[in-house]
Amino acid sequence: MRSITALWSVAFAGVFSLCVAPSFGFVRSRTADSCNPIFWRQSCVYIQPDSAFVPDMAGADVERIIQKSVTNWTARTTGSFFKLNYLPASDPKSVTYKDHLSVVVFRSGTKFCRPASDGSMQVCYDPSAAAVTTVSYINKKGDPDDGLIVDADIEFNAVNNQFVEIGKSLPASDGRNQTDLENTLTHELGHLMGLDHTCRLSADPACLTDDQGQPRQTCDAIDRGRLLNPAYQTIYVTSMFAIAPQKDIEKRTPKADDINGVAAVSPIANDPKVCEQPSTVATGCKCDMGNTGQPPMTALFTMGIALLATLRRRRQPS
């Protein structure tokens, strides 16, 4: 699922070759008005989790998995200048474009919502989404900075999901979907870097096509046809495929399409060689983000893990 909304006050070891396989499925996220591809200007972004970790996992495990998810991308995207840097968990964090820091927070309670803060109202999300990535960018048609990303944050839905580490001993189910944290975060980091889903759950703008200029197929059509269509299977296994079965771990490893997509957003030849840690003072990031002149727009990207899990349950024998 993908939606665009106005912003209120703020909404991955080893050696890899520089050459990757031909790409057939990556999709870049685009601006709301001009449909320009969105992009980062600086060479890196810093990712920091809120110290209030998901109650289902030990803090040390959460931090280790976040760092592993970062490595899932950075170890493979050698054709891109853009790098993800990790900062240890700190004080409670707010989701706001003003800090130019990519925060990771877990939402618990009775509803999957971002609480009111920083002058903005409470924002509630689709409960079927395992996580939401908020990418803030300049949305000003004709401006040289149109599409420039200024911030991106990730919120996990611990209301409806019990985040776990598949492959390790799992806790007893408490009725929520048991969802692999690394799988989900690797997908969401793709959104943070400027990638959209490789399939669609609803109607698309005409300009939202893959790297071959083709419109995205529906997620259901790809799921149904992938065993007979190798091209569909290639799209289905990408980290940026929009849905996943419960306990899926396929998205932990970015595929050639995902890797080429990041290289298209931030090609290594265009490296600005500007990578500074955001300042802790109120003025925010010291990096050159461009003079926006207005609050940016926010894109919300959700990964519908719970949706497919529900469909799978319906298909199981009674």
Side-chain angles (χ1 to χ4, degrees):
M1 281 164 272
R2 179 177 185 274
S3 62
I4 302 292
T5 181
L7 192 65
W8 289 283
S9 62
V10 278
F12 147 121
V15 178
F16 294 84
S17 169
L18 290 176
C19 298
V20 293
S23 177
F24 299 98
F26 76 77
V27 181
R28 294 183 61 179
S29 300
R30 294 176 179 271
T31 62
D33 290 346
S34 63
C35 219
N36 280 339
I38 65 175
F39 61 94
W40 287 95
R41 177 166 291 162
Q42 73 270 26
S43 299
C44 70
V45 69
Y46 281 83
I47 297 169
Q48 187 171 44
D50 188 320
S51 58
F53 291 110
V54 57
D56 307 307
M57 302 180 71
D61 288 333
V62 173
E63 293 209 77
R64 173 177 54 80
I65 292 171
I66 293 175
Q67 292 176 76
K68 176 64 164 56
S69 301
V70 165
T71 302
N72 291 344
W73 285 103
T74 58
R76 294 173 171 84
T77 51
T78 53
S80 168
F81 67 72
F82 192 70
K83 298 303 176 187
L84 305 169
N85 294 329
Y86 180 79
L87 291 174
S90 184
D91 301 330
K93 300 296 179 185
S94 297
V95 173
T96 170
Y97 76 90
K98 295 179 181 179
D99 58 8
H100 302 298
L101 175 69
S102 292
V103 303
V104 176
V105 299
F106 293 86
R107 303 298 187 195
S108 56
T110 59
K111 290 184 178 181
F112 181 29
C113 300
R114 181 197 306 171
S117 66
D118 199 23
S120 66
M121 299 175 61
Q122 174 180 268
V123 180
C124 292
Y125 306 121
D126 186 339
S128 72
V132 165
T133 297
T134 303
V135 181
S136 301
Y137 59 85
I138 306 304
N139 185 55
K140 191 174 182 181
K141 190 173 182 178
D143 191 285
D145 287 335
D146 186 38
L148 174 66
I149 303 172
V150 299
D151 188 80
D153 301 301
I154 299 172
E155 298 169 85
F156 282 90
N157 178 8
V159 177
N160 306 104
N161 294 272
Q162 184 180 19
F163 287 102
V164 297
E165 186 174 6
I166 301 299
K168 299 291 181 69
S169 179
L170 299 181
S173 174
D174 60 5
R176 292 175 295 164
N177 297 308
Q178 288 195 321
T179 303
D180 187 72
L181 178 58
E182 181 184 344
N183 197 69
T184 307
L185 181 55
T186 301
H187 173 96
E188 298 303 325
L189 288 173
H191 288 314
L192 180 149
M193 291 187 288
L195 298 182
D196 212 309
H197 290 138
T198 51
C199 67
R200 63 181 175 86
L201 292 163
S202 57
D204 269 347
C207 66
L208 192 58
T209 60
D210 66 17
D211 58 302
Q212 305 298 308
Q214 298 300 312
R216 296 185 299 183
Q217 295 295 317
T218 65
C219 302
D220 186 58
I222 291 173
D223 189 17
R224 285 186 285 104
R226 63 191 176 87
L227 297 182
L228 297 176
N229 187 330
Y232 278 11
Q233 179 64 17
T234 298
I235 295 171
Y236 180 81
V237 299
T238 59
S239 291
M240 299 313 298
F241 194 71
I243 55 178
Q246 196 172 146
K247 300 183 180 180
D248 179 45
I249 60 172
E250 185 68 58
K251 291 170 177 58
R252 287 179 176 181
T253 305
K255 309 305 187 294
D257 289 311
D258 305 305
I259 294 166
N260 286 343
V262 174
V265 176
S266 307
I268 198 166
N270 295 347
D271 188 356
K273 295 180 170 48
V274 176
C275 178
E276 297 183 25
Q277 183 173 325
S279 172
T280 57
V281 298
T283 51
C285 183
K286 296 180 290 183
C287 308
D288 180 14
M289 297 292 186
N291 182 13
T292 68
Q294 60 180 357
M297 291 291 289
T298 298
L300 304 181
F301 301 98
T302 65
M303 178 173 165
I305 286 179
L307 172 63
L308 189 55
T310 299
L311 295 177
R312 291 287 173 99
R313 283 197 293 270
R314 289 173 183 167
R315 293 171 185 164
Q316 292 175 350
S318 57

